[in-house]
Amino acid sequence: MDIQDVKHISVLGAGSMGHQIAMLCALGGFSTTIYDVHEKALEKAKENLDFQMGKWVRKGKINQQDLDQAFARLSFTNGLEETVRNTDFVIEAVVEKLDVKQGLFAKVDRLAPQHAILTTNSSTIASSKIACVTSRPDKVCNMHFFFPALVMDCVEVVMSETTSEETAAVTMAVCKKIKRTGVLLRKETWGFVANRLLFALNKEALKLYEEGVCDYKDIDTIVRKSLNHPMGPFELMDLSGIDVGYFALEEKYKETGNEEDKPFTSLEEKVKAGELGRKTGKGWYDYEKTEVKVK
């Protein structure tokens, strides 16, 4: 199998990552289907893409004809079998919980053609933990996009010990066709590269905050002004979704049992209160309930 054999891509999950990944695939010339079990999620995905891509047209980033053609390649459904039965390539973008991903991959493995490659957009969970529930571990790998996918250029493609060279090569080729920079990692590690670095910063920021050393707003100011980061760690948590980081830490804690990996109390309180960041209108900061800016 090579990139010429990839005609249809299935994106599983219509949330903040999934619908943008699907749009990239459609813009890249692939017939693309977005699947979500919730009809409201699909409706919101359509609304968000209409809004975001309309801004691209007004700013001259894409002409209306090219956009219309991309939307013509994009479909939405809450039927999993319909989504994957004739697919060539799958990108899973559901909640960051191992049991949910394993359950979904087991179903997809039964429904999708045997040649289809199955990738996960997980930001921390190694694909080997998911490949083990399938009959095609050689065709499974991580394809980690960054939020917001329509803006961020990098994709971490991570091989497990069972991922074939062919699977890695096709996945990297998909990255190129959708105009994203794929970086191939040949060894699995929790959090890969970007999130290992990011979580180290967030861990220290949350420690400083919970120990009363500094207010979270001041920590963000220091990181922006002294380290020249475009935003502070708490602002970035709000942008990415506080629940995403919380669930990632929760999964790591389940795996290691190490108290150092246990999610911070302040994160748990935010998740339980439903204060997940920009997507809910409130996280560490208060926001108007508008979509995240996509340039």
Side-chain angles (χ1 to χ4, degrees):
M1 184 177 183
D2 60 32
I3 189 61
Q4 301 304 320
D5 299 314
V6 180
K7 308 297 184 184
H8 180 271
I9 293 180
S10 301
V11 178
L12 311 182
S16 56
M17 287 298 292
H19 75 278
Q20 293 198 16
I21 293 170
M23 190 73 238
L24 285 176
C25 295
L27 289 168
F30 296 105
S31 171
T32 307
T33 303
I34 305 179
Y35 160 81
D36 201 290
V37 68
H38 301 292
E39 188 64 38
K40 286 186 177 180
L42 294 170
E43 292 172 1
K44 185 176 181 181
K46 293 177 188 176
E47 292 173 4
N48 287 346
L49 288 176
D50 283 338
F51 173 74
Q52 292 162 358
M53 302 313 296
K55 289 173 66 176
W56 277 25
V57 171
R58 292 191 295 274
K59 291 182 177 181
K61 295 187 66 175
I62 188 172
N63 64 55
Q64 188 63 55
Q65 181 179 358
D66 288 344
L67 179 59
D68 289 343
Q69 290 174 352
F71 270 117
R73 290 189 286 268
L74 190 60
S75 59
F76 302 76
T77 182
N78 57 10
L80 183 59
E81 182 174 2
E82 176 187 344
T83 307
V84 303
R85 65 187 170 197
N86 295 313
T87 200
D88 305 301
F89 197 94
V90 174
I91 305 172
E92 168 269 312
V94 302
V95 67
E96 194 76 348
K97 292 188 174 183
L98 179 59
D99 59 338
V100 175
K101 292 180 186 294
Q102 286 180 331
L104 181 58
F105 268 71
K107 291 178 183 176
V108 171
D109 183 52
R110 293 194 299 270
L111 296 171
Q114 280 303 304
H115 74 272
I117 289 173
L118 312 182
T119 73
T120 173
N121 179 53
S122 175
S123 57
T124 56
I125 299 172
S127 68
S128 59
K129 296 181 180 297
I130 302 169
C132 63
V133 304
T134 76
S135 62
R136 62 185 93 188
D138 60 311
K139 295 184 181 297
V140 179
C141 69
N142 286 89
M143 190 181 189
H144 176 218
F145 291 78
F146 294 84
F147 183 79
L150 282 167
V151 175
M152 302 299 285
D153 178 42
C154 188
V155 178
E156 292 176 318
V157 176
V158 189
M159 299 175 68
S160 73
E161 291 185 355
T162 59
T163 304
S164 70
E165 291 292 335
E166 179 183 286
T167 294
V170 172
T171 304
M172 290 289 285
V174 169
C175 291
K176 185 176 182 179
K177 195 165 181 182
I178 64 175
K179 298 182 179 179
R180 286 298 176 266
T181 300
V183 180
L184 182 61
L185 308 180
R186 292 183 171 275
K187 183 177 181 179
E188 291 185 325
T189 182
W190 184 90
F192 317 133
V193 174
N195 277 335
R196 276 191 62 166
L197 297 172
L198 177 62
F199 273 76
L201 175 63
N202 286 357
K203 184 176 183 179
E204 291 305 314
L206 287 160
K207 270 187 179 181
L208 290 166
Y209 169 69
E210 292 195 357
E211 290 171 0
V213 173
C214 202
D215 183 70
Y216 67 88
K217 293 180 181 178
D218 293 327
I219 295 171
D220 279 349
T221 298
I222 291 168
V223 170
R224 289 197 313 271
K225 300 294 186 181
S226 69
L227 302 180
N228 203 29
H229 289 202
M231 61 179 62
F234 294 92
E235 292 171 307
L236 188 54
M237 284 184 234
D238 276 359
L239 177 64
S240 302
I242 292 172
D243 55 327
V244 175
Y246 174 81
F247 289 142
L249 288 173
E250 191 176 48
E251 288 295 336
K252 187 177 184 184
Y253 179 57
K254 286 179 184 177
E255 180 181 334
T256 67
N258 187 339
E259 288 297 312
E260 286 290 312
D261 296 329
K262 191 173 183 179
F264 285 83
T265 301
S266 55
L267 288 184
E268 185 173 11
E269 289 172 350
K270 291 289 184 187
V271 171
K272 287 183 176 179
E275 298 174 356
L276 308 181
R278 293 196 184 197
K279 62 186 176 183
T280 60
K282 182 176 174 61
W284 292 103
Y285 297 87
D286 289 324
Y287 305 89
E288 293 182 6
K289 291 190 177 181
T290 56
E291 295 303 318
V292 175
K293 184 178 180 181
V294 177
K295 298 178 182 179

